[in-house]
Amino acid sequence: MSDGIDAILDVVADTAPDVRGGLAGRRVYETAENPSGEQQLAADVYADELLEERLLALDAVGSYASEERDAAVPGTDGEYHVAADPLDGSSNLKSNNTMGTIFGVYDAPLPASGRNLVAAGFVLYGPITTMVVARDGTVTESVIDDGDREIVTENLVVPTDPTVYGFGGRVPQWTDAFAEYVDGVEQELKLRYGGAMIGDVNQVLTYGGIFGYPGLRDRPEGKLRLLFEGHPIAYIVESAGGASSNGERSLLDCEPDRLHERTPLFVGNEPYIDRLEAALGE
Ligand code: AHM
Ligand code: MG
C-alpha cells in the first residue's frame, strides 16, 4: 500500500461530488478548443481545474496531464504522474446522459508506457455516482454519496457470459475487416452504445462483452487517446480479468510518443479481443 496512491484516490473521490454539482450551470461551450481540436465545455474546464489544483497540492504528485491542456503541469518532485480525462463523454451533457472522470497513476513522467501504471480508475456520473479503482491486480467499485466512499464490490470481475457490445464511429467508415468482425458479434451480443466511453465500458464490466472505438477509413488512429483513456481503461479491464487491444496487442504495451496520441481501442472478454485481433490481422 502506498500512502501517495491512497492520497490521489482520495482526491479524485472527494472531487467527484464537486464535479457533479458543477455540471448543471456549465453546459455552454467555451471559446477555446482542447489540444485535440475539440470544443471544450465550461464543465470540462471546471473539472480539469479542480483536479489540477487538488492533485498538484499532493506531495506524491510529480505532474498532472489532461486531455484539456497541451502539456503536463509539473508539481513537486513526487513519484507519481497523473493523466486524466476530467469529463469523458462531455458531449452527453447536452442530452443529460452519462459522463465520467478517468485517471491513470503512472510511476514515470508522461508520455509513458501502460506498463508504468500503478493504479487507474474512473468516476461514473450516472443515476448514482460510482468509482471504480484498479490497483495491485484487484478492481473495486464504490458508491460516492455526500463525499463518503462505500465499497459495494470488493473484487470486480468481467462476467464470463457476455451480453453487450458497443462500437464507435460511423459504420461506412469502418474497414471491411472490422465490419465483418462486427457481423459476427451482432449475432451473439446486444448493442449498448451511449456516447461516453466510460459508461459503455462500465456496461462491459457489469454484463460482459466488448466495447471498441476502431480505427476508421479516414482516421486510422481512431478517436480515443492512449494516455488519458486507453491505458487507464485497459488497466482496469485487464485487472478485472478481461483483455484490451489496439487491434494488434494489449494497450498496456503501447507507448505514445506524444501526450495526446490517439489509438484504436478495444476492451472486453478475452475471446472477443482474440477474435478481433485475428480478424484485423488477416
Ligand atoms: P471526450 O473525452 O472528448 O468526451 O470524447 C470521447 C468520447 C468517448 O467517451 C466516446 O466513446 C466517444 O467520444 C464517442 O464518440 P462518438 O460521438 O463518435 O460516438
Ligand atoms: Mg474522453
Side-chain angles (χ1 to χ4, degrees):
M1 281 280 174
S2 152
D3 291 347
I5 297 173
D6 286 334
I8 292 167
L9 298 178
D10 286 347
V11 161
V12 175
D14 290 347
T15 302
D18 297 325
V19 171
R20 180 162 199 138
L23 294 176
R26 292 185 172 82
R27 297 170 91 175
V28 292
Y29 284 111
E30 297 277 286
T31 45
E33 290 183 341
N34 72 15
S36 299
E38 295 153 345
Q39 281 190 294
Q40 281 176 311
L41 284 163
D44 288 312
V45 176
Y46 175 67
D48 182 44
E49 287 177 353
L50 280 181
L51 287 171
E52 181 214 0
E53 183 189 318
R54 295 177 185 182
L55 287 168
L56 288 180
L58 299 176
D59 289 342
V61 177
S63 68
Y64 170 77
S66 101
E67 201 176 288
E68 305 302 335
R69 50 184 78 227
D70 274 326
V73 186
T76 61
D77 55 1
E79 63 184 305
Y80 299 118
H81 302 268
V82 181
D85 180 355
L87 208 49
D88 176 60
S90 56
S91 67
N92 274 0
L93 191 50
K94 190 173 179 184
S95 56
N96 190 23
N97 286 92
T98 295
M99 289 169 297
T101 295
I102 309 172
F103 64 99
V105 183
Y106 296 76
D107 64 5
L110 305 173
S113 162
R115 298 294 168 198
N116 289 108
L117 280 169
V118 292
F122 62 82
V123 175
L124 187 62
Y125 309 105
I128 52 176
T129 305
T130 52
M131 181 168 172
V132 169
V133 171
R135 70 187 287 198
D136 303 324
T138 303
V139 181
T140 55
E141 182 188 32
S142 308
V143 169
I144 298 179
D145 189 16
D146 246 359
D148 294 327
R149 216 176 346 151
E150 188 196 337
I151 294 184
V152 288
T153 313
E154 285 277 2
N155 186 15
L156 185 71
V157 288
V158 180
T160 47
D161 51 344
T163 55
V164 300
Y165 76 94
F167 297 120
R170 291 176 201 275
V171 176
Q173 286 295 324
W174 290 353
T175 64
D176 291 342
F178 182 66
E180 200 176 314
Y181 168 76
V182 178
D183 283 346
V185 172
E186 283 174 345
Q187 306 305 314
E188 300 160 26
L189 305 177
K190 66 180 171 185
L191 174 62
R192 289 282 182 94
Y193 189 79
M197 179 189 75
I198 206 60
D200 294 331
V201 167
N202 201 51
Q203 300 212 55
V204 170
L205 287 170
T206 308
Y207 302 118
I210 180 167
F211 168 80
Y213 206 110
L216 303 175
R217 289 182 193 277
D218 63 348
R219 203 182 197 186
E221 71 282 14
K223 177 179 183 187
L224 303 177
R225 298 109 183 133
L226 183 54
L227 274 179
F228 308 114
E229 293 161 325
H231 280 164
I233 288 310
Y235 189 84
I236 294 163
V237 174
E238 290 196 22
S239 298
S244 81
S245 179
N246 69 348
E248 288 177 14
R249 58 182 178 279
S250 165
L251 287 160
L252 297 177
D253 287 325
C254 301
E255 181 163 358
D257 297 322
R258 290 173 295 106
L259 218 47
H260 293 273
E261 197 164 300
R262 297 176 193 268
T263 181
L265 178 157
F266 305 93
V267 289
N269 290 78
E270 199 166 347
Y272 280 97
I273 298 293
D274 288 347
R275 272 165 56 186
L276 170 92
E277 289 182 347
L280 297 189
E282 275 168 12

